Amino acid sequence: MKENWSNPPQWPQRLLRKWCSDKHFDILLGDLLELYEYRLAKKGKLKAKLHFIKDTFDMLRPFAFRKRKKQQLNQTDMFKNYFKISFRNMRRHKVYASINIAGLSVGITCFLLIFLYVQDELSYDRYHNEAKDIYRIVVPNYDADGELSRVFSYASLRHGELLRNDFPQIESVVRFNPFNFPIIKYQDKQFEEAFFNLVEPSIFDVFTFNFIEGEAKDALVDPFSVVITQSTAEKYFGTEKALGKTLNVLDGREFLFKVTGVIEDFPEQSHMSYNFLGSWATFESTVDLSTRTSYYGNYNYPTYLKVKNGVNIEVLSEQIPALLDKYIDNIQGDKASSRLGLTFQRLTDIHLKGTPGTSGTPREFYLYLFSAVGFLVLLIGCINYMNLATAKYANRLKEIGVRKVMGAGSSSISQQFLVESISYTTIALILSIGLAYLLLPTLNTFTEKSLSLELATNLSLYLFLIGLVFFVGLLAGSYPAFFMSRFKTVSALKNGKLNIKNRSFFRMGMVIFQFVITISLVIGVIVVDRQLSFIRNQYPGFERKQVITFSGNAAMNNQSDIFKTRLLNNPKIQQSAMSTRVPTGRLADSMDATLLDGELETNVDFRLPFIRADRDFLKLYEIDLITGENLPDKIPANDNQSFILNETAVMKLGWTNPEEAIGKRMRYGFLTGFIKGVVKDFHFESLHSSIQPMIFYNTTRAKRIVSVKISPTDMPETLTYLEDIFKEYSPDRSFDASFLDDDFNRQYEDEKQLSDISKIFSVLAIFIACIGLLGLVSFTLEQKAKEISVRKVLGASVTGILLLVNRSYAVLILIAFAIAVPLSIYALDGWLSSFAYHISIGVGIISVAGIMTATLAVITICSQAIRFATANPVKWLRNE
Amino acid sequence: MKGTYLGEFEEIVLLTIGVLQDDAYGVAIKLEIEARTSRTPSIGALHSALSRLEDKGFIASKEGGATQARGGRRKRFYTITAAGKSTLVKANRLRNELFNLIPNLSTEGLN
């Protein structure tokens, strides 16, 4: 019938036909058409048409829907049959089955391990009640230009008080005063302890601790009371009750602390872990806190706070500058709020985002990275399955044909293949749980975690595993199921040959995808590796070989000449030096600096951290003196100091070359003197951060870290000698020396861990991709066995055939390469830029990755192809 | 088994079928409702209600022959069943009883 403008539109009618049941269709369409004619006469064409369309869609109601035929088939038996056929197929094609299962289980294992890791990382600090309302104070400092000069995760004593007094939205604030490394004694038991904190009683309002002995409300009230953790209580008191016992705390002086509470140990997933919480009253009773009024500097007190429920921290933050300006005097003529800030870091962010102001890539980055890698590896495993399952379609064609003849619909064929893929996944999952059990101890030592596969304690893992089977099963099985169910019955039965084109197109895409991932991972591993060795082998500007450092004490400092001479009496000890900090540490101490030129005083408007060191420091570390002289032999008076700057400091102070700086007068903190020397820039801190300006000087004040340079022979004896002398000066402490080389490498430990983990996963990914390719190639070759045989009969050489086979895959790998290169460069740039000094991704790295992948692929392909190429053609041609 | 509750719209449809007697089919019912009440039920809603009424056993349907007018499509004619009729009567009675129980509802003023 000719389409007439006044006829109702056809497409809604076709739609109606699709969803409407046969019973209603005629009647409904009849009514619709009648209404149309009625409206056509009354309201015109357009309205009638619109109404027609609207009314058609209005028929989308349950009563009109086509009812599904209720099949009274025995589904359970069919499912049994699907399982049976799946397992028979696995048995018959053992190689394919094992390749598939291997690929899937390696993929699932990676995913599972990464899941455990990520789950653990995400659970940090979340055990506190209302953890989302808890924040840590972070204090940024700005220089006169408004540039951020440094960020501190510790606050000054006053910051906490300000917030507590002026903000009713804040429920409670707690300040910590860590005093480090005391020796603690109980009767005959004596241990060196890491952290001894004096904390305000409000700690129990902010954080959640479970008391085993004692009570939160009166635990930290009196001076010299201390709350300890369960394991510490066991360490000192064994099975005895700890409450009421007295601990001797030695820190040069001796204090007696009474145990007023025992709390459960801090969970492993906590960014802080303290065994001793002393009372703040102790601090107040020993030090006059009212004299410690500075806000700018003196950042020694970690401060946490909890806001009231529903308080928006952003709104609170906006009120901070006004608060600072209200209470703090102008700093060097600038408003207080322009030179220092006060920000809040969410407790649950601390572990993942890291402490502001510290160098290194935040853990969050690795978390994303690992998750991505885990997912990709799993995906490669799935693609493997898809590829192989569709590749061996020919073996199943007759089966499908017969099923269809017997009355199977395409949906039951789909079901069959999904059941099959889920069976594969289940087997793979069981294997991977076993594999994960084997690998977990290694991963745990590696990441210093205690991840566990204990299902009982980890319900979400349980759900996750079940979900994983279905997810992977459906993902991997979806394409095969879809693909298999679409065959035409007749052509499936007739000769088992089908139109191949669009099928292999999909598979080629999959192979490309797999190789994109593989190549990207290879590039990633190479880049990470190169960057790390770049850092490690980059000369940091100081000598670190054969250097040992340990912390000394006041006695060593006071008699430093005698102490050092005694060290040097041993010929194996070549040099010794004492300083406040040593390279690989952090430049955390600084004072205000002022340049003096006659009457003119110029404030230094950036942060100039200091190292207090003796004359031997620069020599021992072989730090080059560009101009001027080393620190003097005798410790100079405070008003006639000798300062040494580094190049960066000289540049930042506005001089164009080091010579200009020599002889200039300056004041640094409470010291005045002249700049006597300039040293070449060196990397005091890790290569994550750029070189900071620095100043060196020497006073009688404590230089606690002793560095010695020893000769490489007889090191154990030398160390014993050092320890003996150490014990003379400091009998209570254990000698804890470390090689600077180790400290240096420790700066990059996170990266090392990342690199190792990503290497393992990448090898696995490559492994899966290769076995996938292996299966695919061997299958394709089996299909082409006759072709190859005919070629051989006609005189083709083995090399010729190998080339032919490789050529088709070479194109795919080339395409994959072209996609992978920009992708991985883009991804890696983010990581590289977390280093102030980094390599660039050049042609070298990319071609190495390319050659590696290509070689692997060629080996994989040839390992199969050679079997066919060298076989006697008769074998394949005999039975036609 | 669906309930035998009679919805308000269903009741109107049922009554309209009774009014139309032998000519009660989709479009006719719709137009009749439009003419007698101020509402314009959509054809989908109407068929939905008809289908519900049929499920509840209040109406029966039979298909008429094809005609030229509706693109050659058949009509389905509805008639009220005995159950439908008694439900209508019951509903009506119930309403009247309740109405009469209202003390001195001044219908006087309304008339």
Side-chain angles (χ1 to χ4, degrees), chain A residues 463-474:
Chain A
L463 296 174
F464 169 77
L465 289 180
I466 295 172
L468 192 66
V469 167
F470 281 94
F471 174 73
V472 173
L474 294 179

Side-chain angles (χ1 to χ4, degrees), chain A residues 651-798:
Chain A
M651 296 306 156
K652 279 200 91 170
L653 284 167
W655 293 304
T656 45
N657 68 62
E659 277 77 19
E660 263 183 69
I662 301 295
K664 293 287 192 308
R665 239 167 82 76
M666 73 181 289
R667 184 166 63 229
Y668 188 71
F670 52 90
L671 308 166
T672 42
F674 296 93
I675 297 167
K676 290 286 180 62
V678 175
V679 292
K680 209 166 164 200
D681 274 342
F682 65 100
H683 291 278
F684 193 93
E685 296 180 312
S686 76
L687 263 74
H688 288 107
S689 45
S690 53
I691 294 177
Q692 301 279 315
M694 289 173 64
I695 184 165
F696 297 88
Y697 65 84
N698 191 7
T699 69
T700 51
R701 292 183 73 167
K703 299 179 280 287
R704 286 283 280 266
I705 300 183
V706 183
S707 316
V708 290
K709 183 157 198 159
I710 62 173
S711 74
T713 53
D714 301 328
M715 291 208 294
E717 281 96 285
T718 319
L719 281 171
T720 322
Y721 178 81
L722 279 171
E723 185 166 1
D724 288 344
I725 295 186
F726 178 88
K727 283 287 180 194
E728 276 178 43
Y729 283 85
S730 176
D732 284 337
R733 294 193 173 270
S734 56
F735 179 63
D736 193 15
S738 67
F739 282 89
L740 195 70
D741 219 14
D742 296 338
D743 295 332
F744 183 81
N745 289 333
R746 207 159 295 140
Q747 296 181 96
Y748 308 107
E749 208 150 66
D750 270 355
E751 280 81 10
K752 177 84 172 54
Q753 217 184 62
L754 157 80
S755 138
D756 289 344
I757 293 178
S758 60
K759 249 182 234 167
I760 294 169
F761 286 127
S762 307
V763 168
L764 291 177
I766 294 165
F767 168 75
I768 304 176
C770 278
I771 56 172
L773 188 64
L774 189 88
L776 200 57
V777 169
S778 83
F779 182 83
T780 320
L781 286 171
E782 241 162 65
Q783 304 292 94
K784 285 190 173 176
K786 282 213 178 89
E787 180 195 329
I788 292 172
S789 304
V790 170
R791 280 174 191 274
K792 280 196 75 175
V793 170
L794 293 177
S797 66
V798 173

Side-chain angles (χ1 to χ4, degrees), chain A residues 23 25-35 37-39 55 58-59 61 63, chain B residues 25-27 30-31 42-45 47-48 51 63 69-71 73-76:
Chain A
K23 180 182 158 213
F25 177 71
D26 246 18
I27 314 293
L28 294 183
L29 187 59
D31 276 3
L32 287 173
L33 291 173
E34 191 179 331
L35 271 178
E37 278 159 26
Y38 172 78
R39 288 198 179 108
D55 278 349
D58 193 44
M59 293 296 184
R61 286 164 193 266
F63 79 90
Chain B
Y25 72 100
V27 176
K30 177 179 152 63
L31 296 179
S42 81
I43 188 79
H47 273 287
S48 189
S51 160
E63 285 180 11
R70 306 155 41 98
R73 306 288 170 181
R74 285 166 302 173
K75 291 175 183 171
R76 176 174 286 158

Side-chain angles (χ1 to χ4, degrees), chain A residues 388-401:
Chain A
L388 289 172
T390 48
K392 63 178 183 180
Y393 76 101
N395 297 330
R396 308 297 292 274
L397 269 184
K398 289 242 160 65
E399 180 195 334
I400 296 164

Side-chain angles (χ1 to χ4, degrees), chain A residues 158-196:
Chain A
R158 292 276 167 252
H159 278 117
E161 279 176 14
L162 277 191
L163 294 172
R164 183 179 292 159
N165 297 339
D166 272 44
F167 287 121
Q169 308 88 304
I170 294 176
E171 195 174 291
S172 46
V173 178
V174 58
R175 292 174 291 176
F176 286 67
N177 176 24
F179 80 89
N180 289 342
F181 312 115
I183 292 162
I184 297 182
K185 277 207 292 205
Y186 174 72
Q187 292 173 354
D188 55 337
K189 286 184 185 149
Q190 170 177 334
F191 301 98
E192 271 180 62
E193 294 291 350
F195 291 103
F196 194 105

Side-chain angles (χ1 to χ4, degrees), chain A residues 773 806 810 813 852-865:
Chain A
L773 188 64
N806 274 303
I813 293 173
M852 262 177 70
T853 324
T855 318
L856 264 175
V858 168
I859 291 172
T860 312
I861 295 165
C862 285
S863 72
Q864 289 302 306

